[in-house]
Structures are given as structure tokens and as C-alpha cells.
Amino acid sequence: MSLTAPAPTLTDKLRAAREASSALATATTAVKDAALRAIADGVRAATDEIVAANHGDLLAGEEDGLSSGLLDRLRLDATRIDALAAAVEHVVGLTDPVGQHVRGARLANGLQLTQVRVPFGVVGAIYEARPNVTVDIASLALKSGNAVALRGGSAAQRTNAVLVARIQDAVASVGLPRALVQTIDEFGRAGATELMRARGLVDVLIPRGSASLIQTVVTESQVPVIETGAGVVHVFLDASAPLERSVDIVLNSKVQRPSVCNALETLLVHEGAAERLLPTLADRLRAAGVTLRGDDATRVLVPGVLRATDDDWGTESMDLDLSIRVVPDVDAAMAHIARWSTHHTESIVTNDVDTAERFLAEVDSAVVMANASTRFTDGGEFGFGAEVGISTQKLHARGPMGLPELTSTKWLVRGQGQIRG
């Protein structure tokens, strides 16, 4: 008679991740980079398996009524999988933050102080319908010396199971513990709740997804949280904004990939430029399939625009919907942003250097731009390789989070027998 070992509980998995993190904390950069190369190779080699699993998730998502934006986030094809692997390879080339000196000093009594970067230990992540996050967070966590516990949600459960299995195989192939990367999807929503209560086993929790998911984690978690934010993103076209540049930036910000958090949601237009810019912009946006909603001034200049409501100003549509408001000046634009923004990304289009610099200085968001598409708010575009998320809080990390943001610090004190008098 054979006895089958019971399946590990969520607590078992987190304890295993905690134990494994000790081995990774002292691993050399060469070993960590070897693991990352193995992950990239493994993900590419498993393309057919990943696509098949993802197809099952997509069919289930359609049956469950997932929005087109969430389905786009969920979808993985060969091109996107290759891009995931390439992002992991880029992380190999980044500087290992562990052990970096942050600052130091020699005290008058001879004590030598050094502040160095160290891993958190175990990083938890809760996210929705984003299997790319599974690879991104795992690769950044490994390079920064952290184990990771992933709750990727039911919508991507088949895809995430394959990805985590291949990542674990890759990690094990270079002699590191498989337990460094854990998925807790099988525990469902109760597992997410337990992860939020796993203080002592998980050092920090990072939510990515809808505003409601992020708010739930922020308000209910007993584990410290790095808050990432929904993207109610704005572009302001100032009075001097040139037409061609305005069209290029607005179209790219909205249309290039509307389902992501750095896509444009609200367009603000200076009243001195509205008549010059809006009709052409509206034609180009509509040609790209964008549904327009606007205030009264917009609807006068562009017939057929739907009436915008307060709900529209505060909504991250993740789709081809755009809200437009005509404002009297830059102060009104910044007031609107202060009222409705999620403090993710805002951009101004202008030829006035002073106005641009004022906008950059006074708008309180994680990323503020002048004359650039909001789609550049991205860890890959910023040179971080992959990203853990885009933090909209003000403590520890803000903006796209790369390797240094997945570390804490500790102080090393070296003496020769000094005592305090």
C-alpha cells in the first residue's frame, strides 16, 4: 500500500520560499545570471505549451465576459513570449544591486559605517490576467536576491502554471532551490487573503491590476505593501502645442496599446488651441476606432462626441475610450489632474519652455513628461529590463520599479573595540 504525500499548504509554500531565499541572498551574480539565461531559454522552448495553455485561459475569459482590455493583457502569442524572454535576458545585463554601497562614513571614534543594499527576502505579488507579470517579477526578484510568491488570478491560471513550472526548472538547473518561485493560484481567493496576512513569511506585497484590487490589498494587507496604481493618465495640449506633434503623441498614448496602465485616458486642451487642434485630432482618433466623450466645449467643436460625466474623468477604461475637456489655461489643466489623476503619468505638449518646466515641477505624479508619449512610462523603456510595477506611492519607491526598488538596506558597522561613553 503506497501513501501519497499531502499537497503542500500555502503556508508550507511560503515557508519553503523563506528558506530558499536564504540560499539566494548569498548567491553570486554569475549564478543568478545563469538562472535568468536558463529562464529565457526555457520560456522560448516552451512557446507551444504556453500558447496552448493561454488559449484555454482566453476561451474561459471570453465565456466569463472579460473585457477586451483584460483579454488583451491576458493574451500571449509567440511574439509576446519571445519579448518576455528578451526582457529576462536584458535583466542579465543589469547591475546586481545586492551589496551595493549606498553611503558610508568614518566616525570620529574610528567606527566605519557602510549602508549596503540587501534583498527583502520574500516578495509577494497579487495581479490579474497578466501572465507577463509572472516572468517579469520572477526575473527581477531573482536578480535582486528575493524569493517570490505569485498570485496571478484565476483568469491566467493555466498560463501561469506552465510559466512557473518552466521557471522552476530553470532555477533548479543551475543548482538553486525550485522553491524560490512559488505560485499560489491553486488556493484561489482565500489564498490571496492568506498571502495578505502572511506577515513574517512575506516581507513585502506588490499588487498590480484594477483600482479595486489594489485598494483591497492596500486596505486589508497585514504585510507591508508597495502600492502600484491604476492609470488615469492625462495629456495636456497647451496653447502653443503644434498640430503634428499633438496628433502623434495623443494617438500613440491612446491607441498603441490601450489596455495598459500608461495609456491615455483624458485629453485636456487649452481653449486657445482647441479650435485649431480638436477637429483634426478627433478625425484621427475616430479613424483609429476611439470613442470620444467630451465636455460642452468639446462637443461644440466636434459634433457627435458623447457627453462626458464625472465617472468618465475618473475611469481607467483600458480600452479605446477617451475623455476630452477644454480648459482655460495650464492652471485649470493642473487642477483637473490634481482632482482626477491616479498620480501615474501626465504629459504636456507645448512649445513654451517655461510652461513645460512649470508643468514638470508642479504636477504631482510618479512620472511627468513634456512633449512625449505617456507610453514611455515602462520599466523596459526606462532601461530597467522588466518591471515589477509602476509605484504611485511616495514611500520607498515611485514610478517604474526595477532591481534597486526590490531591495532594502542595512548598516554595517566595523570597529576595533569601541564602546559608548
Side-chain angles (χ1 to χ4, degrees):
M1 178 178 174
S2 62
L3 296 176
T4 302
T9 66
L10 188 149
T11 299
D12 291 336
K13 285 194 165 191
L14 295 182
R15 284 176 176 160
R18 168 65 68 190
E19 183 176 347
S21 71
S22 298
L24 185 62
T26 56
T28 65
T29 300
V31 169
K32 292 187 283 188
D33 286 346
L36 293 173
R37 291 189 187 95
I39 289 171
D41 291 343
V43 167
R44 283 199 180 98
T47 295
D48 291 345
E49 183 185 10
I50 296 167
V51 169
N54 187 249
H55 181 66
D57 284 332
L58 288 168
L59 289 177
E62 290 171 355
E63 292 176 1
D64 292 341
L66 285 186
S67 68
S68 59
L70 283 177
L71 288 171
D72 179 64
R73 288 187 174 195
L74 176 59
R75 182 173 291 104
L76 287 181
D77 55 22
T79 300
R80 288 187 178 182
I81 291 168
D82 185 67
L84 280 177
V88 176
E89 289 169 336
H90 184 78
V91 175
V92 172
L94 299 178
T95 301
D96 187 343
V98 178
Q100 283 184 340
H101 290 202
V102 178
R103 55 179 168 163
R106 181 177 293 277
L107 303 184
N109 62 9
L111 286 178
Q112 179 66 49
L113 309 182
T114 311
Q115 187 184 29
V116 297
R117 292 195 179 278
V118 295
F120 281 122
V122 179
V123 175
I126 299 178
Y127 51 102
E128 303 168 311
R130 291 290 296 271
N132 65 296
V133 172
T134 301
V135 179
D136 287 350
I137 290 185
S139 61
L140 289 172
L142 290 170
K143 180 82 178 210
S144 57
N146 296 287
V148 66
L150 304 167
R151 159 63 179 165
S154 58
Q157 188 163 346
R158 298 170 183 84
T159 311
N160 286 335
V162 174
L163 289 170
V164 170
R166 299 293 77 78
I167 292 170
Q168 289 175 333
D169 290 345
V171 167
S173 74
V174 301
L176 291 173
R178 295 176 66 89
L180 284 170
V181 181
Q182 302 274 10
T183 176
I184 63 164
D185 282 350
E186 68 266 33
F187 301 102
R189 294 191 177 209
T193 300
E194 190 173 345
L195 184 63
M196 287 188 279
R197 295 174 180 169
R199 193 177 183 96
L201 291 176
V202 178
D203 295 285
V204 65
L205 190 55
I206 301 170
R208 287 187 63 175
S210 67
S212 61
L213 179 145
I214 293 166
Q215 188 61 28
T216 296
V217 175
V218 169
T219 56
E220 296 186 11
S221 179
Q222 297 173 12
V223 175
V225 175
I226 297 178
E227 181 178 355
T228 64
V232 179
V233 169
H234 299 79
V235 170
F236 170 52
L237 305 181
D238 190 33
S240 64
L243 176 60
E244 184 176 355
R245 178 182 292 178
S246 298
V247 170
D248 288 346
I249 288 175
V250 170
L251 277 174
N252 186 256
S253 296
K254 181 69 236 181
V255 175
Q256 198 251 357
R257 195 173 177 195
S259 65
V260 292
C261 62
N262 57 20
L264 172 63
E265 299 293 358
T266 296
L267 176 64
L268 303 172
V269 185
H270 193 293
E271 64 181 8
E275 187 173 357
R276 176 171 58 87
L277 300 177
L278 273 179
T280 300
L281 267 169
D283 287 344
R284 294 289 300 276
L285 287 163
R286 283 169 166 164
V290 179
T291 298
L292 303 179
R293 308 173 191 278
D295 64 353
D296 290 341
T298 300
R299 297 175 78 234
V300 168
L301 292 169
V302 185
V305 171
L306 302 174
R307 186 181 301 278
T309 66
D310 281 357
D311 286 342
D312 294 316
W313 306 130
T315 296
E316 181 187 25
S317 70
M318 297 189 299
D319 210 339
L320 288 172
D321 288 290
L322 180 66
S323 302
I324 305 173
R325 169 170 276 176
V326 176
V327 295
D329 51 33
V330 65
D331 292 286
M334 291 192 296
H336 178 102
I337 291 168
R339 169 66 179 85
W340 297 106
S341 173
T342 53
H343 307 290
H344 188 293
T345 301
E346 332 296 346
S347 184
I348 183 173
V349 181
T350 183
N351 275 337
D352 187 316
V353 174
D354 290 340
T355 300
E357 291 302 318
R358 184 180 171 211
F359 188 89
L360 292 170
E362 295 185 22
V363 171
D364 183 21
S365 290
V367 180
V368 187
M369 302 177 167
N371 297 311
S373 168
T374 62
R375 289 283 290 116
F376 284 111
T377 299
D378 176 83
E381 294 293 332
F382 277 26
F384 304 161
E387 72 178 21
V388 180
I390 297 172
S391 171
T392 54
Q393 66 173 23
K394 295 186 180 182
L395 295 178
H396 178 70
R398 200 178 192 198
M401 295 170 57
L403 293 171
E405 287 75 29
L406 281 180
T407 62
S408 182
T409 64
K410 69 179 180 183
W411 285 94
L412 308 180
V413 181
R414 295 178 173 91
Q416 299 84 34
Q418 290 92 332
I419 61 173
R420 184 170 177 175

